[in-house]
Amino acid sequence: MKWWKNLKKNPLARFGALLLLIFYLVVIAADFIAPYDPYTSQPNGSLLPPTQIYWQNQAGEFIGPHVYPTTQGPVDLETGLRELNVDLSKPSLLNLFVKGTPYKLLGILPLDRHLFGTTGEGKFNLLGTDEQARDQFSRLLFGGRISLFIGLVGITIYFPLGMIIGGISGYFGGWIDSILMRFAEVLMTIPGIYLLVALAAVLPPGLTSAQRFLLIVVITSFISWAGLARVIRGQVLSIKEREFVQAVRAMGANSFYIIVRHVLPQTATYVIISATLAIPSFIISESVLSLIGLGIQQPDPSWGNMLSLATNASILVLQPWLVWPPALLIILTVLAFNLLGDGLRDALDPRNLQR
């Protein structure tokens, strides 16, 4: 396949695809990779910085990588920082495949082993803990499930809707085209963020995070398909006059079959590229909505509501490990999708396919 060869020659597209593959595999296996339950608080362990790893015990003997039980002490009034109470008498070795909180891998296989962890009282908080004393690294992995998959779920609603409506509008034309396109133009005038804010004011406050997640996806998809439908309509207007479509119509095929089987597949190149570039918009929408309190709510993690701590200036200065990891992951994910989308666009360009 020529387009596949063209895509493999693009180093930026390969980098984006590899990065996305790593991200999705990690969040799918979050139960195994995360050392702790993202909802469980550690005793007296709120806002701990990333855990320091030691290699020698207090006698100077090498015992391998280990940590010590650490809790928060009183606040230093001069610096505003909390003192750390480190119990140097109880080294806790770091190991791989450590026994921990039971879980079901992929929701099927019951396990209790985690990729890494400690074998003593000490906790290994790779990215520190949040204000509720929950492990930040574990919450980052579980939060990635929502932030990454919201885009995939969104395009499964958004793209079929845009393709079918655009295809019907372009193929039949006339009054059907006029009604569908006027409706699409009305939807395009609706600012999505303001619509979601207005809905949040009238919806029952007892919605779960799963219900909010579904609501975000459905509403964002419903108001986003119009632009895609208009582009598909324009392509169908030219495709329906080609000889192979005329031949199928002359053979007695019904209109719906012609649209789905022969017309819409001709728009596949544009759809694939557009889908790849549309996913980041869903990720950013979830992040923004969760950031302003309209999306996924605590205690359920998402990269967006983890960023909500950025509204506190003292957090940015004194506990930067709470803000920068989710922000960096959002940036890298959006960048990776854009690099992959640009690579697909170049690989599927007819001029490149003919070379």
Side-chain angles (χ1 to χ4, degrees):
M1 293 187 294
K2 182 67 175 177
W3 70 270
W4 178 247
K5 293 181 180 178
N6 292 339
L7 184 64
K8 290 195 294 184
K9 292 178 182 177
N10 188 325
L12 291 178
R14 290 204 312 271
F15 172 75
L18 178 62
L19 199 59
L20 290 174
L21 178 63
I22 293 173
F23 283 176
Y24 277 98
L25 288 177
V26 167
V27 300
I28 289 172
D31 297 281
F32 168 67
I33 297 175
Y36 306 109
D37 188 320
Y39 299 98
T40 301
S41 299
Q42 300 176 12
N44 197 22
S46 65
L47 296 177
L48 292 175
T51 304
Q52 181 178 349
I53 299 176
Y54 299 84
W55 297 85
Q56 296 178 334
N57 62 16
Q58 298 309 298
E61 301 171 338
F62 178 83
I63 60 173
H66 62 280
V67 299
Y68 294 100
T70 304
T71 56
Q72 284 283 18
V75 177
D76 188 325
L77 298 179
E78 294 184 1
T79 63
L81 297 174
R82 286 183 177 271
E83 298 178 1
L84 298 180
N85 296 324
V86 182
D87 188 349
L88 299 177
S89 65
K90 299 178 180 178
S92 301
L93 294 176
L94 287 173
N95 282 310
L96 296 175
F97 309 113
V98 174
K99 198 171 185 178
T101 306
Y103 61 91
K104 287 187 177 181
L105 187 63
L106 302 178
I108 302 173
L109 184 63
L111 296 171
D112 61 0
R113 296 284 174 176
H114 296 261
L115 179 61
F116 63 91
T118 60
T119 55
E121 295 182 20
K123 302 290 186 181
F124 180 48
N125 304 121
L126 184 61
L127 296 176
T129 61
D130 63 9
E131 74 284 358
Q132 299 296 324
R134 299 168 298 202
D135 181 61
Q136 183 76 347
F137 178 71
S138 299
R139 291 182 63 76
L140 200 65
L141 296 185
F142 281 88
R145 287 181 172 178
I146 290 177
S147 297
L148 288 176
F149 281 97
I150 192 171
L152 299 182
V153 175
I155 63 172
T156 60
I157 302 173
Y158 160 47
F159 273 81
L161 199 59
M163 288 179 64
I164 295 297
I165 294 178
I168 291 173
S169 179
Y171 185 82
F172 290 105
W175 64 270
I176 295 178
D177 180 31
S178 297
I179 292 176
L180 291 178
M181 286 302 100
R182 297 302 79 77
F183 180 59
E185 289 167 1
V186 170
L187 286 180
M188 292 175 68
T189 64
I190 299 175
I193 186 67
Y194 296 114
L195 174 63
L196 290 169
V197 170
L199 285 172
V202 299
L203 287 173
L207 289 177
T208 65
S209 285
Q211 292 169 329
R212 285 180 176 273
F213 174 84
L214 183 61
L215 184 65
I216 292 171
V217 173
V218 171
I219 294 177
T220 307
S221 301
F222 184 73
I223 62 178
S224 301
W225 61 263
L228 174 66
R230 288 179 62 85
V231 176
I232 296 297
R233 169 188 175 271
Q235 294 187 348
V236 170
L237 285 173
S238 62
I239 293 172
K240 73 176 183 178
E241 302 300 331
R242 295 183 182 176
E243 292 81 0
F244 71 92
V245 176
Q246 299 291 344
V248 175
R249 186 184 295 122
M251 293 173 64
N254 64 67
S255 298
F256 185 77
Y257 174 83
I258 295 174
I259 293 172
V260 174
R261 180 67 180 82
H262 296 285
V263 176
L264 289 181
Q266 299 298 313
T267 67
T269 298
Y270 171 80
V271 169
I272 292 172
I273 298 169
S274 184
T276 307
L277 296 175
I279 292 176
S281 66
F282 284 94
I283 295 174
I284 292 174
S285 295
E286 183 278 325
S287 301
V288 171
L289 291 171
S290 296
L291 176 63
I292 63 178
L294 299 178
I296 309 303
Q297 300 298 303
Q298 298 283 356
D300 297 308
S302 81
W303 291 348
N305 66 22
M306 292 175 75
L307 271 179
S308 63
L309 294 172
T311 57
N312 188 331
S314 64
I315 292 289
L316 286 171
V317 176
L318 301 179
Q319 288 91 23
W321 62 84
L322 297 178
V323 176
W324 291 114
L328 183 61
L329 286 176
I330 292 173
I331 293 171
L332 288 176
T333 302
V334 172
L335 176 63
F337 271 113
N338 286 331
L339 291 176
L340 179 59
D342 289 342
L344 285 171
R345 181 188 59 200
D346 295 338
L348 294 170
D349 190 319
R351 292 171 294 182
N352 293 331
L353 293 175
Q354 293 173 0
R355 292 176 183 175

